[in-house]
Amino acid sequence: MTTRRKRWPIGVALLCVLALAAAAAVFLLFRQHKEETATVEIQEGWRAYQVYAAVDQALDVREGTTRKAAERAARKGTLRLPPEAKDNPEGYLAAGTYNLKDRTPTTLLAAMVRTYEKRLARDGVDDYATLTTASIVQAEADNPRDMGKVARVIANRRAQGMPLQMDSTINYALKRSTLDTTAEDTRLDSPYNTYRYKGLPPTPINTPGLHARRATAKPPQGDWLYFVTVAPGDTRFTADYEQHKKWVEEFNENQRQQRSQN
């Protein structure tokens, strides 16, 4: 009887060890599968800081890690940005779904830049000014069908030496997105304030998507100098400033009504 009693706890211990080993193996397989299938989704029109935040979260690293990695990689030439970018990857971080297996912030960003440079070449965006214009088009246009006209407005204003007066560039400087631009906003002392400074801003203000790139590369002909989105889906273009002012007042009235209802 004594021998049997000794064997019983030994058998139980062996079963426990085997169970733990099996659980560990299952955990490792699950973890490996998760690492192989985990992805990060980057959206069209995102600003660089939005991309950095998404990568930080996806890779479960400290906030700001990807931004610092981008700055180091750009200085070292790892991202292979064009000279005009001056080590700033804004505008070059391609939208898409990226696998996280064996990825670091630096390798992810480098993959985005490589992907985007191929898209730019395919879509006929062959200089920094066109990319910067496309980023404004991405932010300003209410829908893809209006993107070509927005691009033409920008081209026409530049040709006539007019300030672009784009709210989206002020929003970029202030790190916000809004339809309400105040008179005080237009006095902002920033190179991204296209009310105060003529010409394009110093960098793109986001990574423009397919429709914005192609619309900017080949905008339609037209004499438009002004546009305003009076209501969702209703953007109006004109070369007549007096007509434009009437539409702006209509837009402002729509905004007042919306605020009163909220």
Side-chain angles (χ1 to χ4, degrees):
M1 293 296 294
T2 303
T3 303
R4 291 177 182 172
R5 291 196 185 105
K6 287 181 179 179
R7 287 176 179 172
W8 172 253
I10 291 173
V12 171
L14 286 172
L15 287 174
C16 289
V17 170
L18 290 173
L20 288 172
V26 170
F27 174 77
L28 290 173
L29 287 172
F30 173 78
R31 182 176 178 181
Q32 182 181 4
H33 175 73
K34 183 178 179 181
E35 289 176 348
E36 290 176 350
T37 58
T39 59
V40 61
E41 183 76 24
I42 305 301
Q43 301 293 327
E44 286 187 348
W46 271 9
R47 300 167 182 168
Y49 71 81
Q50 293 174 291
V51 176
Y52 301 156
V55 174
D56 282 346
Q57 184 176 16
L59 292 177
D60 194 22
V61 295
R62 184 178 300 177
E63 181 180 351
T65 298
T66 303
R67 176 183 58 79
K68 293 177 181 177
E71 292 171 354
R72 288 194 302 269
R75 286 196 303 270
K76 293 179 180 179
T78 306
L79 297 185
R80 299 181 183 177
L81 296 166
E84 298 88 348
K86 297 180 180 178
D87 298 337
N88 186 344
E90 187 72 82
Y92 287 91
L93 303 176
T97 302
Y98 296 88
N99 194 302
L100 299 180
K101 181 173 168 46
D102 299 326
R103 294 285 199 178
T104 66
T106 300
T107 59
L108 266 176
L109 295 174
M112 292 177 196
V113 173
R114 288 195 302 272
T115 297
Y116 203 65
E117 287 179 337
K118 292 177 182 178
R119 293 177 186 175
L120 292 175
R122 178 197 66 193
D123 297 330
V125 180
D126 54 7
D127 60 71
Y128 199 64
T130 305
L131 174 60
T132 301
T133 301
S135 73
I136 299 174
V137 170
Q138 176 75 44
E140 290 282 345
D142 182 54
N143 55 68
R145 70 175 178 270
D146 290 330
M147 286 182 170
K149 288 185 176 181
V150 173
R152 177 52 63 190
V153 168
I154 295 172
N156 289 345
R157 281 179 163 259
R158 292 183 67 199
Q160 294 192 24
M162 298 173 63
L164 298 184
Q165 296 182 324
M166 298 290 163
D167 295 349
S168 59
T169 62
I170 293 178
N171 285 338
Y172 179 81
L174 296 174
K175 292 186 176 181
R176 70 181 190 188
S177 295
T178 181
L179 294 176
D180 297 320
T181 299
T182 66
E184 183 180 357
D185 291 338
T186 64
R187 292 190 289 271
L188 178 70
D189 188 9
S190 165
Y192 291 91
N193 181 358
T194 52
Y195 281 81
R196 183 168 184 172
Y197 296 101
K198 292 182 180 181
L200 293 169
T203 71
I205 60 173
N206 57 53
T207 301
L210 173 66
H211 295 292
R213 295 193 302 268
R214 291 185 175 177
T216 305
K218 293 182 178 179
Q221 293 300 314
D223 63 352
W224 313 292
L225 291 171
Y226 311 96
F227 70 91
V228 59
T229 300
V230 176
D234 182 9
T235 301
R236 303 175 190 176
F237 297 82
T238 184
D240 184 344
Y241 182 58
E242 293 304 316
Q243 178 63 71
H244 176 66
K245 286 198 298 183
K246 293 177 183 178
W247 289 340
V248 169
E249 183 51 40
E250 189 175 341
F251 162 77
N252 289 334
E253 179 58 29
N254 288 341
Q255 292 297 103
R256 284 192 289 269
Q257 290 180 8
Q258 287 183 11
R259 285 193 291 268
S260 66
Q261 293 171 0
N262 294 335

